[in-house]
Amino acid sequence: MIEKLRTMKFKTILLFGAPGSGKGTQGKILGTIPGFFHSASGDIFRSLDYESEIGRVFWEYAGKGQLVPDDVTIRVWKQYIQGMEMINQFHPTSEFLVLDGIPRNVQQAKLLEDTLDVIKVIHLQCADLAKMVERLRRRALRENRFDDASDEVIQRRLRVYENETRPVLEYYPFEKIVRVEATMSQIRVLSELVRVLVPLKEARDRERAG
Ligand code: ADP
């Protein structure tokens, strides 16, 4: 199984966008559609035991609105996805991987090059920064997200996005990038995503059948 993982790249859809752009909300919905497996790096980190060494590293960085170091991030994510494959939750030969929150900088994109076959990058773009900040504040209250509890941390997270994460868009070929306006209603964003994904899924089904 591990050997197979090393040789087979995961067919991947990247959900890309600033904190608060709705990647997580949309990713969770897409993950309920047969043929799509959703993986959010933030959720993986938040599920770690606070007492474990990696858990402590995560809280140390995330609490300040900073990125967890790349080597730790990639190691944790790869272990998680291998685990999911081993327990038969993720089926890479038939499913698309829907990634949200990773890769978060160009170095991570490079470190994942041997693992991911990126088919599309969906950029949930939003020109209205105030709207993002408002969403983050609301989510912090609703979901107990300590990292968005203060405006200072929110501002730092948005800066980290601009400086470190946004350049990832230039790492992937222009023709793979699809832009979707993140301020539309959730159901309209979903409908745009589905419109992009239907032909990819059907093409893959045909390939597997033939
Ligand atoms: P959001 O969806 O609001 O952007 P996430 O839940 O994806 O936030 O991430 C929360 C925190 O977890 C980040 O601020 C960062 O500290 C850490 N994190 C998540 N994914 C990564 C990653 N790929 N690389 C480094 N740190 C990460």
Side-chain angles (χ1 to χ4, degrees):
M1 177 84 80
I2 304 259
E3 274 314 304
K4 195 176 82 197
L5 265 175
R6 286 205 188 104
T7 53
M8 213 207 107
K9 289 193 190 187
F10 304 138
K11 294 213 182 297
T12 304
I13 312 292
L14 293 187
L15 290 180
F16 198 87
S21 61
K23 306 180 297 287
T25 308
Q26 297 293 337
K28 278 196 194 95
I29 300 172
L30 296 178
T32 64
I33 303 174
F36 294 87
F37 181 83
H38 171 232
S39 165
S41 53
D43 289 346
I44 298 171
F45 279 133
R46 278 185 291 278
S47 72
L48 295 172
D49 181 356
Y50 304 146
E51 306 279 308
S52 68
E53 199 183 325
I54 300 178
R56 278 202 302 273
V57 171
F58 164 66
W59 294 110
E60 186 192 324
Y61 285 90
K64 291 189 251 168
Q66 292 170 347
L67 297 185
V68 176
D70 297 334
D71 55 337
V72 178
T73 299
I74 299 298
R75 187 156 32 93
V76 168
W77 184 80
K78 284 189 177 175
Q79 273 171 11
Y80 169 86
I81 206 74
Q82 283 181 8
M84 286 292 122
E85 189 179 2
M86 261 178 244
I87 63 169
N88 230 5
Q89 291 289 307
F90 170 45
H91 309 98
T93 49
S94 59
E95 289 175 340
F96 286 103
L97 180 60
V98 177
L99 274 191
D100 141 19
I102 186 170
R104 199 92 150 207
N105 58 28
V106 171
Q107 181 59 15
Q108 290 184 12
K110 288 184 182 157
L111 290 169
L112 289 169
E113 196 60 41
D114 62 348
T115 314
L116 308 181
D117 173 9
V118 175
I119 310 286
K120 279 270 179 259
V121 179
I122 301 181
H123 180 195
L124 295 175
Q125 62 179 16
C126 175
D128 186 353
L129 206 66
K131 200 153 188 167
M132 298 290 99
V133 172
E134 199 36 53
R135 279 188 185 175
L136 292 172
R137 282 199 195 116
R138 249 184 291 137
R139 180 175 72 178
L141 292 175
R142 202 176 53 231
E143 294 175 16
N144 250 332
R145 281 281 299 260
F146 72 95
D147 52 346
D148 290 329
S150 86
D151 280 357
E152 194 190 326
V153 179
I154 290 181
Q155 293 303 336
R156 165 111 38 82
R157 271 157 52 66
L158 292 170
R159 266 202 313 278
V160 167
Y161 174 75
E162 284 301 327
N163 298 335
E164 298 184 46
T165 308
R166 195 186 269 282
V168 172
L169 275 179
E170 276 136 52
Y171 181 79
Y172 293 105
F174 183 75
E175 62 275 14
K176 289 193 178 175
I177 301 173
V178 180
R179 280 163 215 78
V180 174
E181 180 53 47
T183 48
M184 297 189 301
S185 67
Q186 289 182 337
I187 195 163
R188 195 164 291 280
V189 172
L190 179 64
S191 118
E192 290 290 308
L193 299 185
V194 168
R195 204 169 52 83
V196 173
L197 297 179
V198 166
L200 300 177
K201 176 71 171 93
E202 288 179 349
R204 190 154 186 206
D205 289 347
R206 276 196 302 275
E207 231 171 69
R208 280 171 50 78

